[in-house]
mmCIF file of all heavy atoms in Angstrom:
data_model
loop_
_atom_site.group_PDB
_atom_site.id
_atom_site.type_symbol
_atom_site.label_atom_id
_atom_site.label_comp_id
_atom_site.label_asym_id
_atom_site.label_seq_id
_atom_site.Cartn_x
_atom_site.Cartn_y
_atom_site.Cartn_z
ATOM 1 N N SER B 478 99.114 90.982 141.808
ATOM 2 C CA SER B 478 99.294 92.160 140.913
ATOM 3 C C SER B 478 99.137 93.410 141.759
ATOM 4 O O SER B 478 99.914 94.342 141.631
ATOM 5 C CB SER B 478 98.323 92.116 139.804
ATOM 6 O OG SER B 478 98.271 93.417 139.156
ATOM 7 N N ALA B 479 98.093 93.386 142.528
ATOM 8 C CA ALA B 479 97.740 94.607 143.353
ATOM 9 C C ALA B 479 98.752 94.860 144.445
ATOM 10 O O ALA B 479 99.311 95.994 144.570
ATOM 11 C CB ALA B 479 96.365 94.460 144.014
ATOM 12 N N GLY B 481 102.110 95.369 145.957
ATOM 13 C CA GLY B 481 103.422 95.482 145.307
ATOM 14 C C GLY B 481 104.184 96.620 145.987
ATOM 15 O O GLY B 481 103.894 97.018 147.092
ATOM 16 N N LEU B 482 105.152 97.219 145.201
ATOM 17 C CA LEU B 482 105.913 98.315 145.737
ATOM 18 C C LEU B 482 105.020 99.419 146.167
ATOM 19 O O LEU B 482 105.301 100.157 147.135
ATOM 20 C CB LEU B 482 106.898 98.784 144.712
ATOM 21 C CG LEU B 482 107.969 97.842 144.277
ATOM 22 C CD1 LEU B 482 108.762 98.355 143.072
ATOM 23 C CD2 LEU B 482 108.968 97.640 145.435
ATOM 24 N N GLY B 483 103.879 99.541 145.514
ATOM 25 C CA GLY B 483 102.929 100.609 145.873
ATOM 26 C C GLY B 483 102.494 100.482 147.330
ATOM 27 O O GLY B 483 102.341 101.537 147.982
ATOM 28 N N TYR B 560 109.155 100.783 137.306
ATOM 29 C CA TYR B 560 108.940 99.900 138.460
ATOM 30 C C TYR B 560 110.030 98.870 138.630
ATOM 31 O O TYR B 560 110.448 98.518 139.708
ATOM 32 C CB TYR B 560 107.625 99.203 138.169
ATOM 33 C CG TYR B 560 106.905 98.523 139.376
ATOM 34 C CD1 TYR B 560 105.989 99.288 140.084
ATOM 35 C CD2 TYR B 560 107.139 97.216 139.733
ATOM 36 C CE1 TYR B 560 105.271 98.751 141.141
ATOM 37 C CE2 TYR B 560 106.398 96.608 140.768
ATOM 38 C CZ TYR B 560 105.451 97.386 141.499
ATOM 39 O OH TYR B 560 104.825 96.845 142.509
ATOM 40 N N PHE B 689 96.700 103.062 141.563
ATOM 41 C CA PHE B 689 98.000 102.424 141.322
ATOM 42 C C PHE B 689 98.086 101.133 142.108
ATOM 43 O O PHE B 689 98.410 100.018 141.595
ATOM 44 C CB PHE B 689 99.089 103.310 141.663
ATOM 45 C CG PHE B 689 100.519 102.711 141.418
ATOM 46 C CD1 PHE B 689 101.031 102.810 140.107
ATOM 47 C CD2 PHE B 689 101.232 102.091 142.371
ATOM 48 C CE1 PHE B 689 102.227 102.294 139.799
ATOM 49 C CE2 PHE B 689 102.459 101.543 142.072
ATOM 50 C CZ PHE B 689 102.988 101.621 140.797
ATOM 51 N N SER B 690 97.674 101.216 143.352
ATOM 52 C CA SER B 690 97.822 100.029 144.254
ATOM 53 C C SER B 690 96.879 98.892 143.792
ATOM 54 O O SER B 690 97.260 97.753 143.941
ATOM 55 C CB SER B 690 97.498 100.437 145.690
ATOM 56 O OG SER B 690 97.872 99.420 146.551
ATOM 57 N N SER B 692 96.133 98.156 140.833
ATOM 58 C CA SER B 692 96.436 97.865 139.415
ATOM 59 C C SER B 692 95.275 98.144 138.466
ATOM 60 O O SER B 692 94.968 97.398 137.577
ATOM 61 C CB SER B 692 96.801 96.342 139.276
ATOM 62 O OG SER B 692 97.827 95.974 140.110
ATOM 63 N N MET B 695 94.380 100.404 133.490
ATOM 64 C CA MET B 695 95.080 100.212 132.256
ATOM 65 C C MET B 695 94.939 98.843 131.606
ATOM 66 O O MET B 695 95.547 98.547 130.587
ATOM 67 C CB MET B 695 96.591 100.551 132.338
ATOM 68 C CG MET B 695 97.368 100.005 133.539
ATOM 69 S SD MET B 695 97.564 98.227 133.636
ATOM 70 C CE MET B 695 98.745 97.970 132.261
ATOM 71 N N SER B 796 102.332 90.734 136.306
ATOM 72 C CA SER B 796 101.085 91.148 135.808
ATOM 73 C C SER B 796 101.292 92.285 134.800
ATOM 74 O O SER B 796 100.474 92.348 133.807
ATOM 75 C CB SER B 796 100.164 91.599 136.970
ATOM 76 O OG SER B 796 100.437 92.882 137.339
ATOM 77 N N LEU B 797 102.240 93.129 135.011
ATOM 78 C CA LEU B 797 102.469 94.207 134.037
ATOM 79 C C LEU B 797 102.998 93.650 132.744
ATOM 80 O O LEU B 797 102.666 94.135 131.697
ATOM 81 C CB LEU B 797 103.435 95.264 134.679
ATOM 82 C CG LEU B 797 102.861 96.142 135.759
ATOM 83 C CD1 LEU B 797 103.954 96.769 136.591
ATOM 84 C CD2 LEU B 797 101.985 97.182 135.109
HETATM 85 N N1 LIG O 2184 99.657 97.493 142.028
HETATM 86 C C1 LIG O 2184 101.047 97.343 141.983
HETATM 87 C C2 LIG O 2184 101.652 98.027 143.204
HETATM 88 O O1 LIG O 2184 101.007 98.579 143.989
HETATM 89 C C3 LIG O 2184 101.654 97.963 140.784
HETATM 90 C C4 LIG O 2184 100.992 97.374 139.520
HETATM 91 C C5 LIG O 2184 101.024 96.159 139.045
HETATM 92 C C6 LIG O 2184 100.177 98.115 138.658
HETATM 93 N N2 LIG O 2184 100.233 96.019 137.917
HETATM 94 C C7 LIG O 2184 99.675 97.232 137.699
HETATM 95 C C8 LIG O 2184 99.782 99.397 138.727
HETATM 96 C C9 LIG O 2184 98.814 97.611 136.719
HETATM 97 C C10 LIG O 2184 98.900 99.861 137.729
HETATM 98 C C11 LIG O 2184 98.404 98.956 136.761
HETATM 99 O O2 LIG O 2184 102.805 98.003 143.338
#
Side-chain angles (χ1 to χ4, degrees):
S478 166
L482 293 171
Y560 199 90
F689 183 82
S690 190
S692 305
M695 48 65 70
S796 80
L797 285 162

